[in-house]
Amino acid sequence: MNRACRLTFGDLIREHRRSYPDAIALVDGEVRLTWPELDERTNRLADALTGAGVGPGDRILWLGQNSFRIWELLGAAAKIGAMVCPGYWRWAAPEMAYAIEDFDPRVIVWQDEEIGDTVAKARAELGSEHRALWLRHDDEGAESYEAFLASGSPENPQIDVDPDSALLVIYTAAITGRQSGSMLSHRNLLAMGASAAWMGDIGQETAFLGAGPMFHIGNYQFWGIPAFVHGGKNVVVRRVIAEELLPVLAAERCTHAYLMPPTIAQLVALNREAGHDLSQLRASVAAPVWEGMVPTDTSRFTRNGGGEGRGYGQTEVTGFAVTGAYGGTGTGNAGRPGLFTSVRILDSGGRECETGEAGEICVRGDLVHLGYWNRPEINEERFRFDWWHTTDLGRREADGTISFLGTTTRMLKSAAENIFPAEVENCIESHPAVKEAAVIGVPNERWAQDVKAVVVLRDGAEATAEDIIEHCRARIASYKKPKTVEFIDALPRTGGYAKDYEALDARFGGGGYPGGDTLGAGR
């Protein structure tokens, strides 16, 4: 392909430097970067990374909370052909060590505040075998991120980068009990930015509060990347604390924000007394929770049910692949495929299912990721018949819309977080007293579901519910651990082999799983 046709994420920053010389690109506390300042800092960082031996295909891991520096790392990596993974700061030490070993980064940027002990434990678990360059970002010393960046040249790197190379990697989808890194390319991100901006009326005037976690695709699609693509302003907050978010929303005149309903309710209660002017903010998600305090968004996304979860997507398709914004509402609960995307409902043999017939949702196009990092066998299976197989069930309706029917692999949902039972079960079954375990979700009015473990102990072994919960707390992220534990003599089986989750749901009150009448799967 002619170089003139190859637009990358780095080219976007270079162009915005010229098109918006006075506009603010990033805000993070006292930090305010214009597009020219961001371009220069990403040049310096790119040069420093190159000097440290980082080049095309190499990997950079972020171990910290939200920060403008994640955007900088993406920009710098985009200019030299590397890829960046914003790791989950709530990982337990074994999970963090696993990600480091699996992703094998050349550079690790880490945070001491709140997670320094976990990082130290992960490094101790790895020992001296892993020789990444470690840079602390919340420090000003000689081995800090800032000192490293300052050592680089401000000149633009002259490196030809393939727009179909990986840039952003997000760990997700515990297919085999372990998470895998979904590799999103420059093309994926730019296509998503363009299509999502069309849905949400996002432009250069957009000021987006990125309160969602930057290890989650939702924060990028709604509306971080669309704002970035169009030269808007991204306002970054380290973590969600309602009392701190409220003045930021007002001071930065944010037009959009990634917020969950419980946080919105806190903001509404706080602002009744504080009286901040939030008139610029548009309520696109959970609009009724705002109680009329901010105007309701009128974009295609909100008008056609996006704010209520009308849509279907997953990290592996760079967010939503199907929404009500495309073609208006219809019979199907997910909507229609959007720009840059084709969707088919296929049976196990790769045949397209008839209208009204259930099958697997399969996707093709510029939003489909490159595959999982370091998972060739899984990638081969999931890309069979030249379509990405989502492992989710769907149906094409007579009016052309698509209904999401549920997952072919079980998933639980707690607030905005996906929890994969296989991962939790593997953790529980590593307890020396446990013979086997099954995990179900029980409905929670506020958080969608709670995790319940059903456990069979080894003959003669003893363990309490608290023992099991604490065992999980030390090994996996806290939100994944069981809230409750039931002990039984044997797990029910289907056909004498597979765990019978339906029987466990019926016996222990399971339900409320994503899918069926629950919209917005994968969001």
Side-chain angles (χ1 to χ4, degrees):
M1 183 185 291
N2 189 298
R3 177 68 185 89
C5 301
R6 295 160 60 88
L7 185 68
T8 68
F9 199 79
D11 292 326
L12 191 74
I13 299 172
R14 296 180 180 108
E15 180 58 36
H16 287 347
R17 174 178 193 151
R18 293 161 173 81
S19 296
Y20 308 110
D22 300 318
I24 298 295
L26 293 172
V27 175
D28 186 347
E30 298 300 315
V31 174
R32 303 183 70 81
L33 297 180
T34 64
W35 285 104
E37 288 169 335
L38 177 62
D39 188 43
E40 179 176 323
R41 282 178 62 86
T42 53
N43 285 347
R44 288 185 179 278
L45 183 56
D47 183 71
L49 288 167
T50 301
V54 179
D58 284 333
R59 294 158 302 286
I60 303 162
L61 179 63
W62 171 272
L63 296 177
Q65 295 165 320
N66 287 2
S67 171
F68 75 99
R69 294 185 173 112
I70 297 176
W71 287 107
E72 286 188 337
L73 284 166
L74 286 169
K79 292 178 176 181
I80 62 174
M83 62 183 96
V84 177
C85 174
Y88 189 14
W89 64 271
R90 291 173 63 188
W91 274 333
E95 292 175 302
M96 193 175 287
Y98 167 78
I100 295 170
E101 190 171 39
D102 182 61
F103 195 53
D104 191 24
R106 293 291 296 269
V107 176
I108 299 173
V109 183
W110 67 285
Q111 175 179 315
D112 185 60
E113 185 176 0
E114 290 199 54
I115 65 169
D117 288 346
T118 304
V119 173
K121 290 176 183 177
R123 294 183 72 170
E125 188 169 319
L126 289 166
S128 59
E129 296 180 6
H130 197 279
R131 299 185 180 276
L133 171 64
W134 289 76
L135 301 170
R136 180 176 162 187
H137 96 91
D138 56 344
D139 183 49
E140 301 297 330
E143 296 182 356
S144 71
Y145 171 96
E146 284 297 329
F148 181 76
L149 181 148
S151 71
S153 166
E155 297 302 314
N156 181 41
Q158 299 298 316
I159 298 175
D160 186 17
V161 175
D162 184 355
D164 288 316
S165 62
L167 174 59
L168 173 65
V169 179
I170 296 178
Y171 269 76
T172 183
I175 301 165
T176 59
R178 285 289 197 178
Q179 295 195 66
S180 299
S182 173
M183 297 185 291
L184 303 176
S185 69
H186 299 249
R187 190 185 302 277
N188 291 152
L189 297 175
L190 295 179
M192 178 264 277
S195 60
W198 180 87
M199 286 194 298
D201 289 342
I202 303 298
Q204 198 277 327
E205 73 286 353
T206 297
F208 171 65
L209 179 75
M214 293 184 74
F215 53 76
H216 192 291
I217 192 62
N219 197 68
Y220 294 97
Q221 184 172 35
F222 303 107
W223 303 94
I225 292 286
F228 202 91
V229 164
H230 286 271
K233 178 171 68 175
N234 270 275
V235 181
V236 183
V237 291
R238 185 171 62 87
R239 61 179 305 177
V240 176
I241 301 173
E243 292 83 356
E244 296 178 4
L245 296 185
L246 189 57
V248 174
L249 284 166
E252 298 300 333
R253 298 180 64 79
C254 292
T255 59
H256 298 74
Y258 191 94
L259 299 167
M260 292 293 105
T263 303
I264 295 172
Q266 288 180 292
L267 291 170
V268 169
L270 288 167
N271 205 40
R272 287 197 191 101
E273 183 174 335
H276 288 290
D277 178 8
L278 302 180
S279 60
Q280 296 297 310
L281 189 61
R282 306 176 193 176
S284 58
V285 175
V289 183
W290 283 103
E291 299 180 8
M293 187 171 288
V294 303
T296 299
D297 180 47
T298 58
S299 71
R300 297 175 183 89
F301 175 74
T302 304
R303 288 200 313 268
N304 293 318
E308 281 68 54
R310 186 181 181 85
Y312 167 79
Q314 55 183 205
T315 300
E316 296 87 339
V317 295
T318 328
F320 272 5
V322 181
T323 80
Y326 301 112
T329 57
T331 304
N333 63 22
R336 293 179 174 86
L339 307 176
F340 313 110
T341 307
S342 289
V343 173
R344 296 289 184 271
I345 309 299
L346 303 182
D347 67 12
S348 59
R351 177 189 67 88
E352 184 174 5
C353 296
E354 300 291 336
T355 298
E357 179 185 359
E360 186 173 6
I361 299 173
C362 298
V363 187
R364 176 188 288 170
D366 286 348
L367 294 182
V368 176
H369 75 162
L370 302 177
Y372 298 118
W373 166 256
N374 199 28
R375 303 289 188 275
E377 293 180 359
I378 295 175
N379 292 336
E380 183 178 0
E381 168 67 15
R382 297 287 292 276
F383 277 110
R384 65 191 185 277
F385 311 126
D386 295 323
W387 289 87
W388 171 253
H389 286 62
T390 66
T391 73
D392 290 325
L393 289 175
R395 180 178 61 230
R396 180 81 69 168
E397 307 294 355
D399 64 358
T401 56
I402 291 172
S403 290
F404 169 72
L405 304 176
T407 58
T408 59
T409 56
R410 302 183 76 251
M411 183 182 77
L412 313 184
K413 192 83 169 180
S414 179
E417 301 291 353
N418 296 337
I419 300 171
F420 296 89
E423 183 180 16
V424 184
E425 290 170 359
N426 283 351
C427 180
I428 295 171
E429 289 173 352
S430 70
H431 190 289
V434 174
K435 179 180 179 181
E436 57 182 353
V439 166
I440 63 173
V442 294
N444 178 300
E445 184 174 339
R446 184 178 186 186
W447 302 112
Q449 289 181 303
D450 287 334
V451 178
K452 177 183 281 292
V454 183
V455 174
V456 178
L457 296 177
R458 298 183 183 278
D459 291 343
E462 294 182 358
T464 65
E466 191 60 26
D467 291 337
I468 301 299
I469 293 169
E470 288 303 313
H471 177 82
C472 293
R473 191 197 306 274
R475 289 163 176 80
I476 56 178
S478 183
Y479 75 91
K480 302 175 188 176
K481 71 182 186 301
K483 289 287 184 67
T484 55
V485 179
E486 301 282 350
F487 294 93
I488 60 176
D489 294 331
L491 293 179
R493 302 281 179 179
T494 58
Y497 177 70
K499 298 172 184 178
D500 190 342
Y501 291 98
E502 290 188 7
L504 291 170
D505 282 342
R507 180 173 173 183
F508 297 109
Y513 296 96
D517 293 332
T518 302
L519 308 183
R523 176 138 175 222

